[in-house]
Amino acid sequence: MAVAGSSRKPAQDSPSRQLLWELNRLVLSEQEEFYGRLDRESQQREAAHKSALAEAIARHDKVRNDAEAERDRHEKQQQQERAQREEQQRQEAERERQAKLEQERTERRRLAERAEAAARAERAATQEREAEEARVKAEKHRRDARAVQEKKEEQEAAERKRVLDKRKAKEATLAAAAAPSAPTSKTIQPNTSQSTARISQKPTPDPGREAEHQRYLGIHQTLKELRKFMTQQAKQNPILKEKMGDMRRELRKSVGQLREGKGKNTAQNNAIMNVLREALKSFPEPKVSLAKFVARPIEDVQAPALVIYLLNHLSKAIISQLIKEASVSPRLAEPIGVAAVNFFAREDFRVNGVSLIDILIAKYHVVCPPLFGIYGSESTDQGRERLGWWREEAGGPWISEQLHQDRMTGLGAGYAAISLRTFENSKMTNPYPPYNFWRALATILNVPAGQVTDTHFVLVRALIENSEQRFLMFFGDTAKQLMRFAIMEYPKRASRDSVAAKVLSNLGNTMKKDKKLYL
């Protein structure tokens, strides 16, 4: 019996069996074909899936590779930026380190220069003091010798007079014996009291003082008009406009660089002189009347307007520098005053021999009237204006009392530096002789007691302090008498408990301690 599902056809079988076998064979063939088709479709799907998976993997790899490349590029960029920042920070740190080192080197240099300057100044001061002491001793020796000589001459004159009187008395006795009725002569006793220099307690105001002050204020006003005139000229002449600006800046810069110490101001002084000489040479026109800028009557001559304009600007810079520097350290007034006098003393900047220092003095009349006998009350607006009390701005509030006194200190010290100059060893003529200092100090000391203010005490101290030796050099013992009165007696005129008066009265002790000067 054939096994169902066998592939072999029975050799001898019934037709039904053969039909069954055929049917089985047909079913098996369809199954094989079905399963074969399923296998082929499965293989095709597998291949499609594999292809899609491979494509997806490829796309994924591409995306991953692109992402990794982008990440690498971003990381590289970040590294470059970080490296740049680090390099910049390193360079900045190096610059700061170098700047700090340079600053330290500059500071060390500056301290060394300051120490050297202080040492030089101390040596110069010692030499000057020794020279001054030697001069004072020599002067004292000359005065003593002169006094001895005068005393000897007085004794000889007295002896001659005694002999002459004795002879006359003898002759009178003989005449009386010959004429007994002659009247008896009266003996007149000579006044042997010596007059002494003193400062009057209640002086009579000089009637011309106010008029003189007004003349200088008029010069100052004329200088303002000149400034407007030169501004108009500059608008018409571009070369003049440019030069005027450069010259003003150079004057202001050079005056601002004036320093204490011998030989330290050569470059600054040369720069100022070059500016003035260039103005004199390059811009002789337009001209203005010189008489308008000089207080005393002079022959009316013409002077280059630009030179007057620049001298006015120079004077303004000098006043400003005195207020700025000498108000803090009065000793710094010395180089500024020396420079100021030298410029106005030079023949280059005189017109027909007339010095133009009245331009500077006119500004002093504006900023410090008490130096010229002008006084007023510190408690009123009008009085403060007469005392040179400044306002914070035009029409604004007054500056503080401390700032006012600082200004007066700088201006007083500057006035002493300007007026106490000697030209013995110079071919130039002193444009502002020392008698102006005496006059200013005596004028302040002669202010009526009821009108004396702290401004006067501050000015007296500023005039005397650091100028004692030069004052004595010019006026000798008379200067010492005036200083004694100014320091010991004048502060007693204070109408209230005045700190400025106390500071002035203590100046004598300072002079004893620091300068061995005994009044």
Side-chain angles (χ1 to χ4, degrees):
M1 182 175 174
V3 179
S6 171
S7 61
R8 293 182 61 189
K9 181 178 180 181
Q12 296 290 331
D13 209 342
S14 63
S16 59
R17 286 189 179 271
Q18 289 182 358
L19 180 61
L20 179 62
W21 182 85
E22 289 294 337
L23 290 172
N24 286 337
R25 179 63 182 157
L26 180 61
V27 170
L28 289 174
S29 177
E30 290 177 354
Q31 287 180 344
E32 288 177 355
E33 183 180 357
F34 174 76
Y35 286 118
R37 189 170 62 251
L38 288 177
D39 289 340
R40 287 193 300 275
E41 290 176 358
S42 177
Q43 291 175 356
Q44 290 174 356
R45 283 195 298 270
E46 182 180 0
H49 289 163
K50 287 181 178 179
S51 176
L53 180 61
E55 185 179 353
I57 291 173
R59 286 198 303 270
H60 177 72
D61 289 343
K62 183 177 184 303
V63 170
R64 187 187 64 230
N65 292 336
D66 290 345
E68 289 177 352
E70 179 64 20
R71 182 196 62 194
D72 293 343
R73 187 191 65 77
H74 184 66
E75 289 179 350
K76 185 176 181 181
Q77 182 180 358
Q78 286 185 329
Q79 289 176 355
Q80 290 176 348
E81 292 176 353
R82 185 164 53 251
Q84 289 177 354
R85 286 196 301 271
E86 291 175 353
E87 179 63 19
Q88 290 175 354
Q89 292 174 355
R90 187 191 66 77
Q91 292 177 358
E92 182 65 26
E94 179 64 19
R95 282 195 297 269
E96 291 179 357
R97 189 180 69 83
Q98 292 295 335
K100 186 175 181 181
L101 290 175
E102 181 62 25
Q103 184 179 3
E104 291 176 353
R105 285 194 294 269
T106 303
E107 182 66 17
R108 285 196 297 270
R109 253 192 330 267
R110 188 177 64 82
L111 292 175
E113 290 175 356
R114 182 180 295 178
E116 183 181 356
R120 286 199 303 269
E122 182 63 25
R123 289 195 299 271
T126 301
Q127 294 173 356
E128 183 180 354
R129 187 166 56 250
E130 291 175 351
E132 181 63 24
E133 290 175 355
R135 190 198 63 76
V136 171
K137 287 181 180 179
E139 181 64 23
K140 185 176 182 300
H141 179 72
R142 285 194 297 271
R143 286 199 302 269
D144 291 345
R146 189 165 58 248
V148 170
Q149 181 65 25
E150 290 175 354
K151 185 176 181 180
K152 182 179 179 182
E153 292 175 355
E154 289 176 358
Q155 289 175 346
E156 292 175 352
E159 180 63 21
R160 287 195 298 270
K161 185 176 182 300
R162 187 184 65 80
V163 172
L164 182 60
D165 290 345
K166 185 176 181 181
R167 185 185 305 127
K168 288 182 178 180
K170 185 175 181 181
E171 293 175 354
T173 302
L174 294 175
S181 61
T184 305
S185 62
K186 295 181 180 179
T187 303
I188 301 176
Q189 290 294 108
N191 183 10
T192 58
S193 63
Q194 297 181 351
S195 61
T196 59
R198 64 185 181 87
I199 304 298
S200 59
Q201 295 298 318
K202 293 184 179 181
T204 302
D206 182 359
R209 190 175 297 152
E210 194 74 36
E212 179 185 2
H213 181 57
Q214 292 302 320
R215 282 200 302 274
Y216 277 100
L217 294 183
I219 292 176
H220 186 261
Q221 186 61 38
T222 305
L223 289 167
K224 288 185 176 181
E225 295 172 0
L226 174 66
R227 187 166 64 242
K228 295 178 182 178
F229 171 74
M230 292 304 297
T231 302
Q232 293 297 325
Q233 292 292 314
K235 290 180 180 179
Q236 302 171 14
N237 186 341
I239 298 177
L240 175 62
K241 181 178 181 180
E242 181 181 358
K243 279 294 184 180
M244 278 175 56
D246 293 341
M247 289 174 171
R248 285 198 311 270
R249 284 187 289 274
E250 183 63 34
L251 291 178
R252 187 165 56 249
K253 181 191 75 173
S254 298
V255 172
Q257 292 175 347
L258 292 173
R259 292 292 178 266
E260 186 179 15
K262 187 176 181 180
K264 287 195 171 184
N265 297 315
T266 303
Q268 296 89 313
N269 290 335
N270 288 339
I272 294 172
M273 284 190 293
N274 289 338
V275 168
L276 296 175
R277 284 170 178 163
E278 182 183 359
L280 194 63
K281 178 180 179 181
S282 303
F283 299 94
E285 298 290 341
K287 293 183 181 293
V288 292
S289 171
L290 181 64
K292 296 179 180 180
F293 306 99
V294 179
R296 67 183 186 278
I298 63 169
E299 180 183 355
D300 191 9
V301 295
Q302 298 293 302
L306 181 59
V307 174
I308 304 292
Y309 171 84
L310 291 175
L311 287 175
N312 176 47
H313 192 78
L314 174 63
S315 300
K316 182 178 179 181
I318 289 169
I319 294 292
S320 177
Q321 193 69 6
L322 287 172
I323 293 173
K324 178 181 176 182
E325 298 286 347
S327 61
V328 179
S329 178
R331 290 180 63 89
L332 296 179
E334 184 70 9
I336 303 172
V338 170
V341 173
N342 284 343
F343 295 136
F344 285 104
R346 290 187 172 275
E347 289 297 329
D348 312 39
F349 314 129
R350 290 173 175 261
V351 180
N352 287 3
V354 177
S355 170
L356 296 173
I357 198 168
D358 281 350
I359 294 174
L360 175 61
I361 303 306
K363 293 196 175 296
Y364 251 104
H365 273 265
V366 173
V367 297
C368 196
L371 287 171
F372 310 99
I374 306 302
Y375 52 82
S377 172
E378 291 184 339
S379 60
T380 66
D381 288 350
Q382 182 181 4
R384 286 190 169 194
E385 288 178 356
R386 287 176 61 79
L387 288 171
W389 203 303
W390 223 240
R391 294 181 184 271
E392 293 181 3
E393 58 184 16
W398 299 104
I399 62 175
S400 67
E401 182 177 8
Q402 184 59 54
L403 284 178
H404 169 67
Q405 293 187 4
D406 289 346
R407 282 173 59 89
M408 294 297 107
T409 298
L411 292 169
Y415 190 85
I418 291 169
S419 56
L420 286 177
R421 303 253 65 88
T422 177
F423 280 70
E424 290 182 355
N425 300 323
S426 174
K427 296 180 179 179
M428 297 184 294
T429 302
N430 191 343
Y432 206 65
Y435 67 76
N436 289 288
F437 177 88
W438 177 280
R439 182 188 181 195
L441 182 56
T443 297
I444 295 175
L445 297 179
N446 273 310
V447 171
Q451 298 293 334
V452 176
T453 64
D454 283 357
T455 299
H456 296 103
F457 297 129
V458 171
L459 277 174
V460 170
R461 182 173 182 268
L463 286 169
I464 294 176
E465 191 175 23
N466 300 315
S467 301
E468 310 94 333
Q469 297 299 336
R470 283 182 288 127
F471 191 23
L472 289 169
M473 178 182 71
F474 285 112
F475 298 102
D477 288 339
T478 312
K480 183 177 288 188
Q481 293 175 12
L482 192 62
M483 285 193 291
R484 183 185 301 118
F485 174 83
I487 295 173
M488 297 180 179
E489 300 299 328
Y490 190 61
K492 297 177 183 178
R493 295 188 181 182
S495 58
R496 57 184 176 83
D497 189 17
S498 169
V499 175
K502 292 179 181 178
V503 173
L504 173 59
S505 63
N506 192 50
L507 181 58
N509 295 329
T510 304
M511 291 162 62
K512 290 179 185 177
K513 179 181 177 181
D514 297 343
K515 302 182 180 180
K516 309 303 179 187
L517 179 58
Y518 297 87
L519 300 177

